[in-house]
Amino acid sequence: MSVAKKQYKRITVKSLTEMKSHGEKISMLTAYDYTMAKIIDSAGIDVLLVGDSASNVMAGHETTLPITLDQMIYHASSVVRGVERALVVVDLPFGSYQSDPKEALRSAIRIMKESGGHSVKLEGGREVKESIKRILHAGIPVMGHLGLTPQSIYKFGTYTVRAKEEAEAEKLIEDAQALERWGCFALVLEKVPAALAQKVAEQLTIPVIGIGAGSGVDGQVLVSHDMFGMTHEFNPRFLRRYLNLYEDMGNAVGQYVKDVKSVDFPNDEEQY
Ligand code: KIV
């Protein structure tokens, strides 16, 4: 059955719930800077995530743990300046919300005030319940994140698929239901079995956005550097590369070096 799409001038948290109820899938990508945000937003993305994956793809860290709140605010404010339509979600970085709910609220307020982002995302369920509630109480929309939660990498030790065992799957379902009950507007499910993700999406009225969670959810998110093929060492099964920019950009640089060395660049038309 084809679904008539509503045209949204500006995506809000309400638009996402509407999309889910109309059966329209939600598209989401990461961005960390103005130029990339402008390109992705102009191409019609629904949600731009200023992910703490900036720690990996922008700063070259092995994990997402080192990125700071100030650095996230810097990335987020650059993204916001490039966006006209998409909803901007900003990750609360590791250490900015886990220790106490008041600090969590202060961190979320700084993101909203200093970057102009439209909402925040944080990892975890019942462990961060009070932080989520405090942020929501202040009127700040919160997106949850369950399944593989990279900020807890040292607890799990690997980036493998989560919630394959029944007990973990049950806990994930309960956490997802709780996130909806507390008032989160959406939820990211990362690297969990497709059948489990579909079950969660069917049970919730808020949208469930998957990454490595199959097609039965309400939308998909990828790290833009991965889907553009700018990264090439990270090859999870769930990743579809739409370009091979690692090779294309490398070839362009190689050609530029040649042209400079041979004085082919600049030519007569490229100078004053
Ligand atoms: O930081 C990030 O890019 C994320 C996505 C993987 C969902 O949280």
Side-chain angles (χ1 to χ4, degrees):
M1 190 183 73
S2 79
V3 180
K5 279 196 199 163
K6 180 170 166 187
Q7 297 299 314
Y8 292 97
K9 262 181 95 175
R10 184 111 228 181
I11 304 290
T12 64
V13 296
K14 201 167 149 262
S15 327
L16 301 185
T17 317
E18 272 177 22
M19 286 181 186
K20 172 161 181 159
S21 62
H22 297 157
E24 178 180 345
K25 299 282 183 185
I26 296 162
S27 60
M28 172 162 151
L29 279 172
T30 63
Y32 318 102
D33 67 82
Y34 169 80
T35 304
M36 190 80 100
K38 208 170 168 60
I39 293 169
I40 298 174
D41 180 63
S42 311
I45 202 80
D46 297 316
V47 185
L48 267 174
L49 170 66
V50 186
D52 59 359
S53 49
S55 180
N56 309 111
V57 295
M58 300 301 285
H61 293 296
E62 208 178 301
T63 72
T64 56
L65 275 63
I67 198 158
T68 65
L69 184 58
D70 283 337
Q71 288 165 340
M72 287 303 297
I73 290 169
Y74 167 77
H75 286 298
S77 54
S78 309
V79 165
V80 167
R81 285 191 287 274
V83 167
E84 284 179 16
R85 177 180 176 273
L87 180 82
V88 178
V89 182
V90 185
D91 264 342
L92 278 164
F94 178 67
S96 72
Y97 62 95
Q98 292 92 341
S99 55
D100 92 86
K102 280 191 192 157
E103 194 192 359
L105 177 58
R106 270 195 300 275
S107 303
I109 287 176
R110 279 202 60 204
I111 286 180
M112 301 299 282
K113 257 188 187 304
E114 295 176 39
S115 78
H118 310 138
S119 58
V120 298
K121 173 165 86 58
L122 53 81
E123 297 181 6
R126 61 200 75 176
E127 319 80 32
V128 284
K129 171 181 172 183
E130 294 310 323
S131 293
I132 292 174
K133 284 185 151 184
R134 178 83 59 141
I135 296 168
L136 285 166
H137 195 66
I140 300 171
V142 176
M143 178 180 270
H145 184 154
L146 298 174
L148 172 61
T149 47
Q151 291 180 11
S152 309
I153 181 58
Y154 290 113
K155 177 174 159 191
F156 295 105
T158 74
Y159 287 103
T160 52
V161 179
R162 295 292 195 269
K164 282 188 356 199
E165 305 302 327
E166 206 175 315
E168 207 192 332
E170 275 308 312
K171 180 179 181 292
L172 185 143
I173 291 170
E174 283 167 22
D175 277 342
Q177 288 168 339
L179 290 173
E180 170 163 291
R181 207 168 47 246
W182 299 331
C184 289
F185 72 91
L187 165 66
V188 164
L189 273 189
E190 181 165 356
K191 239 179 160 180
V192 298
L196 172 64
Q198 179 164 353
K199 191 170 165 187
V200 174
E202 282 168 0
Q203 285 187 11
L204 300 192
T205 53
I206 59 170
V208 176
I209 319 273
I211 172 163
S215 58
V217 287
D218 307 304
Q220 300 293 330
V221 55
L222 285 175
V223 169
S224 50
H225 286 59
D226 297 333
M227 78 76 105
F228 289 138
M230 294 169 96
T231 54
H232 71 133
E233 282 155 353
F234 179 61
N235 285 304
R237 173 177 170 161
F238 66 76
L239 174 61
R240 185 180 293 182
R241 294 193 200 282
Y242 286 79
L243 290 171
N244 184 357
L245 286 189
Y246 188 88
E247 202 174 302
D248 291 349
M249 290 172 83
N251 288 341
V253 173
Q255 187 61 47
Y256 173 73
V257 170
K258 246 196 203 154
D259 292 350
V260 169
K261 302 270 181 200
S262 65
V263 202
D264 179 79
F265 176 79
N267 63 25
D268 288 349
E269 277 83 53
E270 290 163 331
Q271 53 192 296
Y272 303 99

